[in-house]
Amino acid sequence: MNTTVDEPLINDTIEYITTLFQNVHDGHDVAHSLRVYRMALMLANQESRVNMKVLSLAALLHDVDDYKLFATRNNENARKFLLEKNIDAETTEHICQTINDVSFIRNRGKKPATLEGKIVQDADRLDAIGAIGIARAFAYGGSHGRTFEASVRHFYDKLLLLKDEMNTASARKLAEFRHIFMEKFLDEYDREMTAT
Ligand code: ADP
Ligand code: NI
């Protein structure tokens, strides 16, 4: 049995990230965090003994201290918000640990320590692949002044590696499908590029 969470807390968290991300338009926006949250809930449905409060808050807050977006240290934004919401110290640590386990760069090859970390990491990675992943890669590239070629390189550097790095069985299944779609996209992209 998974635990349950109170709705007002979730709504306040969504309101917080909506404000925080209002000026971010590089595929890292609030819509990304909301998709990660919904995907994390779906994946959690297939697992037992998930701490849903930790899972939900970690999914919604997973990018609030991302170094690419904010110059905070030690999960400062997440901690400030959780303190305001009177979340106890133990839960706060569990949430911050989960958030810190999600990052691809920081944790290359390492598996998250907690089940909640595994699920949120899977949800975040699923949002980087498939049709959504393609859209995000070009949105990110465009907002950083990169060419199409540079964004396409990112598929080979990172996105095509993600399907083999999923933690949960249900994410692995979804990743397979999204991976094949990206391969099809890249084939057609090459075909069109070389024909002109
Ligand atoms: P997250 O923090 O959500 O795990 P990242 O911060 O690594 O993911 O990247 C956010 C989005 O931007 C992802 O969809 C990713 O594929 C894309 N992205 C990151 N780096 C690049 C890049 N060099 N070129 C194109 N897209 C990129
Ligand atoms: Ni993310």
Side-chain angles (χ1 to χ4, degrees):
M1 234 345 235
N2 294 334
T3 53
T4 54
V5 209
D6 56 319
E7 274 309 307
L9 177 59
I10 296 302
N11 291 338
D12 287 355
T13 312
I14 291 174
E15 203 176 295
Y16 168 66
I17 60 173
T18 303
T19 309
L20 191 70
F21 288 109
Q22 63 189 339
N23 295 317
V24 184
H25 306 290
D26 67 351
H28 240 128
D29 49 9
V30 68
H32 161 66
S33 292
L34 293 175
R35 285 192 303 270
V36 169
Y37 167 62
R38 285 195 301 270
M39 178 60 77
L41 294 185
M42 264 171 54
L43 298 175
N45 254 335
Q46 307 301 316
E47 311 288 326
S48 51
R49 284 184 229 245
V50 181
N51 182 327
M52 293 304 286
K53 186 171 182 174
V54 168
L55 181 88
S56 304
L57 294 177
L60 288 168
L61 298 172
H62 82 274
D63 274 338
V64 302
D65 290 291
D66 188 298
Y67 72 96
K68 293 192 263 8
L69 307 171
F70 309 104
T72 52
R73 284 171 158 259
N74 190 27
N75 305 97
E76 194 183 318
N77 282 341
R79 286 180 194 278
K80 223 156 85 193
F81 174 79
L82 295 169
L83 193 64
E84 255 170 47
K85 294 292 150 198
N86 297 314
I87 305 297
D88 65 79
E90 193 189 329
T91 309
T92 296
E93 285 318 311
H94 191 163
I95 292 169
C96 290
Q97 152 113 61
T98 303
I99 292 173
N100 296 339
D101 274 351
V102 171
S103 160
F104 178 80
I105 307 257
R106 262 198 281 184
N107 300 298
R108 203 90 209 243
K110 267 197 286 170
K111 290 280 175 202
T114 63
L115 174 60
E116 293 76 20
K118 291 187 170 97
I119 295 173
V120 180
Q121 187 182 66
D122 280 355
D124 193 38
R125 288 175 171 180
L126 282 168
D127 209 61
I129 62 177
I132 292 172
I134 295 170
R136 289 183 75 213
F138 288 102
Y140 184 99
S143 79
H144 288 78
R146 307 228 171 105
T147 59
F148 279 180
E149 283 78 1
S151 295
V152 166
R153 235 179 344 259
H154 182 66
F155 284 78
Y156 296 95
D157 291 343
K158 173 177 170 183
L159 306 183
L160 292 169
L161 310 178
L162 292 178
K163 83 162 167 43
D164 292 326
E165 301 201 22
M166 295 293 157
N167 304 298
T168 64
S170 36
R172 216 167 296 131
K173 224 188 235 161
L174 290 170
E176 286 290 339
F177 192 85
R178 293 185 180 201
H179 182 89
I180 292 169
F181 185 80
M182 282 195 299
E183 285 185 326
K184 278 194 198 141
F185 167 78
L186 290 169
D187 279 351
E188 174 62 14
Y189 182 89
D190 280 344
R191 203 175 356 258
E192 291 181 16
M193 280 297 185
T194 48
T196 54

